[in-house]
Amino acid sequence: MTKKNPLVSIIMNCFNGEKYLPEALQSVLDQRYINWEIIFWDNQSTDSSAKIFKSYNEKRFIYFYAMEHTSLYKARNLAIEKSNGDFISFLDVDDMWEKDKLEIQMPYFDSLEVGVVFSNVWLVKRDFRKKKIYTNKKLPSGNIFNELIDNYNVGILTTVIRKKFFLQIKKKFDERFSIIGDFDLFLRLSKLCRFVGIQKPLAFYRLHGKNLSTLNQEKEIKEYEIWLDENKLILDYSQIKKIQKKVNYSKFLHFKIEGKYKECINILLNSKIGLFNIKNLFLFFTPIILLKKLMWFYNDFK
């Protein structure tokens, strides 16, 4: 292919993903933009994932078996090392793309300052019978570090990254993290290059009912606290307060769903009166069963 249609390496990390894998692969095969490869990183799956992937007679499908089972972010770093394209993107085995995703995104890279193109996304139930658009707010473009601090809305499955900028980062995906590694990476990239946000949803993020789990929420809270402590020097006072408010909101929601009302009250009492408290008061008096139904789409999607 010519430089007009550069190679896009699609990073697909897999650990026992047989259930939805064919749908994810088909959504790549359906792409109108055809110069791509899939780097399939099998993180020592024990199901039929490898058999399913290898069953396709497709030279653009490239299979790797991990020497050891690793964390997701280490697996992503290892898979990227095997990629051949000047651009990289990500699709997990249970998610899907719209057929025009790459076709719409790649022309934006005609501007050499653009390093990341991302889009809105559909949040869907497992069976696709219910879906919700992730955000109705206008997605930012340009040098958007401050905007991402205010309202982080980059879903990794929607992104295409110019690999040149990714390689300039000394530390790639931070392998210490389990939840917020994408948040950390894209904030660092936003210091290096311009982003383009596309309002149209170009991907489908499948929710599994585990998004409000105790384990995920506790990890997310702890990781944000670590990130904030290590990055205070690059943030101003208002940005620190915004991240802290996000952490406190996650804590409040977690405590509410776990029925830890004393902890919820402590957060309310130690917060200034304002929209944050009003929102939390609403959550506090909402029955847990209703709250879970209202929040089925709640997730800082990865």
Side-chain angles (χ1 to χ4, degrees), residues 104-119:
I104 289 174
Q105 291 179 301
M106 292 308 294
Y108 287 99
F109 289 105
D110 289 346
S111 171
L112 297 181
E113 294 180 348
V114 172
V116 178
V117 179
F118 69 106
S119 78

Side-chain angles (χ1 to χ4, degrees), residues 73 134 152 176-183 205 210-228 243 246-254 298-302:
Y73 289 117
Y134 179 68
Y152 182 76
R176 297 174 302 164
F177 295 140
S178 299
I179 306 293
I180 71 162
D182 304 342
F183 168 85
Y205 178 74
K210 64 183 179 182
N211 309 93
L212 288 173
S213 72
T214 299
L215 182 61
N216 280 357
Q217 285 294 302
E218 288 177 350
K219 281 185 178 180
E220 181 184 48
I221 291 165
K222 184 172 181 61
E223 289 179 11
Y224 271 119
E225 289 176 335
I226 292 170
W227 187 91
L228 182 58
I243 296 294
K246 179 182 178 66
V247 172
N248 287 340
Y249 178 73
S250 293
K251 283 183 178 179
F252 190 91
L253 182 61
H254 170 64
Y298 174 81
N299 186 52
D300 283 332
F301 60 101
K302 297 158 278 298

Side-chain angles (χ1 to χ4, degrees), residues 192-204:
L192 290 179
C193 61
R194 295 176 62 83
F195 281 46
V196 174
I198 298 172
Q199 204 63 30
K200 178 182 177 182
L202 296 179
F204 299 89

